[in-house]
Amino acid sequence: MDDFFVGGLSSQETESKAIKSEYDIIIIGAGPGGLTAAIYAGRSRLDTAVIEKLAPGGQIAVSDRVDNYPGFPDGISGEELTKRMEKQAKKFGAEFISDEVRSVSESKTENYFFVETASHGTIKAKSVIIATGADPVKLPVPEEEKFRGRGISYCATCDAAFFKNKVVAVVGGGDTAIADAIYLTKFAKEVIVVHRRDQLRAVKALQEEAFSNPKIKFQWDSVSVHVLGDNKVEGLEVENVKTKERTVLKVDGIFVAIGTVPNSGFVRGLVETTDRGFVVTDKNRQTSKPGIFAVGDVRDTPLRQVVTAAGDGAIAEFSAEQYIKSKERGV
């Protein structure tokens, strides 16, 4: 069996490196937020480990092109951008561990946290940064995996520009879906909102703006059943939940906004989360548990973008560093 490559190292190479029993900072997750925190921690000469169960990069790593990250006027692939971040973090000394974190707990006698992993046992850390992201609720059709990144998108602000003068569908009826639909009208010639109910769930202000936009049409009482096309999206088959009648919408792209699921289960009960599971933080990105910080999509935040995750990472690392220093001074 081929080695599974993680962070430029094969699984055999990763396992051959000795994993320390404790670190100053453990960063859980290697998306843009976690990688940025690792860069800052390394530059601060903190003993830093990044634990990632999959390949570094997070969701953005599968994006063909990122056009809205500062410094890349011609765009850059998500894979290339996050590889550069990873390389930079390693340059400053961050260690990468391929493993899954099962739980985080607090020492009752020392200023340490215990990070329990699936393969490397328990590792101690003076501070922990949660950067595990959130997964979008997938479009419930058999062809979702085939067309993901080939017409199916979960980020309108990331991919809208690729559908200039085309017809697209937005699946969902909440705030995110309607905000996405409005945003997409800046590029697409027509936006069809597909919603399973006969009225929207979005706030009234968004509804009013959407209803007054001539580019936005509505497919009420409808759910997605099939995505059509060969190598790219060419249509969306929907079914009316009341009449069971099926209709094919000729669209070039499908933007899905039916919710996200934060990867926060391993800290539920330890830190405060919203009803939906997003980690609550203050302006310093500190959670309700001093010494534990959260960044990026796992955090309760109004905007989930690479640039905001990176900003979170910088703030969280600075805050974690100050926390560690305060504990060393006995404060």
Side-chain angles (χ1 to χ4, degrees):
M1 180 180 292
D2 293 338
D3 292 333
F4 175 64
F5 279 78
V6 178
L9 296 175
S10 71
S11 58
Q12 289 181 346
E13 291 171 318
T14 302
E15 292 301 325
S16 67
K17 293 181 65 177
I19 302 301
K20 298 175 185 177
S21 61
E22 62 181 73
Y23 294 85
D24 292 324
I25 295 179
I26 287 180
I27 300 165
I28 306 171
L35 292 172
T36 302
I39 292 168
Y40 275 72
R43 292 183 74 247
S44 296
R45 301 297 186 265
L46 293 173
D47 201 4
T48 305
V50 181
I51 303 178
E52 170 59 61
K53 68 178 180 179
L54 302 173
Q59 289 187 45
I60 199 64
V62 301
S63 178
D64 287 338
R65 198 168 84 193
V66 178
D67 278 330
N68 56 358
Y69 193 79
F72 297 95
D74 297 321
I76 184 172
S77 74
E79 181 182 17
E80 178 61 23
L81 177 61
T82 51
K83 276 186 175 180
R84 292 187 184 194
M85 291 180 173
E86 179 193 356
K87 182 178 180 181
Q88 196 170 359
K90 288 180 176 178
K91 172 186 173 182
F92 290 117
E95 295 182 35
F96 282 72
I97 301 171
S98 176
D99 207 340
E100 180 178 2
V101 172
R102 290 181 169 171
S103 68
V104 177
S105 58
E106 183 181 22
S107 171
K108 301 301 182 182
T109 58
E110 303 176 274
N111 292 322
Y112 277 96
F113 295 98
F114 298 114
V115 178
E116 182 188 351
T117 67
S119 302
H120 293 91
T122 301
I123 308 172
K124 294 169 65 176
K126 296 177 182 177
S127 182
V128 174
I129 297 176
I130 303 167
T132 45
D135 295 328
V137 176
K138 300 295 189 294
L139 185 68
V141 298
E143 303 84 6
E144 190 277 337
E145 185 175 353
K146 174 183 177 181
F147 289 107
R148 191 189 316 154
R150 295 183 177 181
I152 293 179
S153 172
Y154 294 89
C155 180
T157 53
C158 303
D159 299 328
F162 300 119
F163 295 89
K164 189 173 182 180
N165 297 322
K166 295 184 181 297
V167 178
V168 298
V170 172
V171 180
D175 289 352
T176 300
I178 302 309
D180 284 353
I182 294 167
Y183 181 78
L184 284 161
T185 60
K186 297 179 181 180
F187 303 89
K189 67 179 180 181
E190 184 175 280
V191 178
I192 305 171
V193 175
V194 178
H195 188 41
R196 66 181 305 120
R197 298 179 177 85
D198 58 4
Q199 58 184 353
L200 300 175
R201 293 181 292 108
V203 297
K204 290 297 182 183
L206 284 173
Q207 291 192 39
E208 290 169 1
E209 187 174 354
F211 290 142
S212 65
N213 192 315
K215 284 189 174 183
I216 299 178
K217 312 298 181 186
F218 294 89
Q219 185 77 25
W220 301 110
D221 297 320
S222 298
V223 294
S224 306
V225 289
H226 287 291
V227 176
L228 311 177
D230 292 325
N231 296 318
K232 62 180 182 178
V233 170
E234 296 176 11
L236 175 64
E237 185 178 5
V238 299
E239 181 179 276
N240 187 288
V241 295
K242 295 177 178 177
T243 66
K244 303 304 179 183
E245 180 183 356
R246 292 194 174 188
T247 303
V248 174
L249 307 176
K250 293 184 178 180
V251 296
D252 304 291
I254 304 167
F255 289 83
V256 186
I258 52 179
T260 55
V261 181
N263 299 311
S264 61
F266 66 100
V267 290
R268 299 277 179 92
L270 178 66
V271 301
E272 181 185 357
T273 60
T274 67
D275 292 341
R276 295 173 58 198
F278 291 99
V279 178
V280 177
T281 68
D282 62 16
K283 65 180 182 180
N284 298 316
R285 307 308 185 258
Q286 180 170 273
T287 68
S288 58
K289 177 65 66 176
I292 298 182
F293 304 83
V295 305
D297 289 5
V298 74
R299 191 173 75 85
D300 184 25
T301 177
L303 184 62
R304 292 179 169 84
Q305 293 284 285
V306 178
V307 69
T308 54
D312 281 353
I315 294 170
E317 187 284 328
F318 176 79
S319 301
E321 186 176 351
Q322 299 308 304
Y323 170 82
I324 292 170
K325 288 179 179 178
S326 70
K327 290 301 179 182
E328 291 174 344
R329 293 195 304 266
V331 178

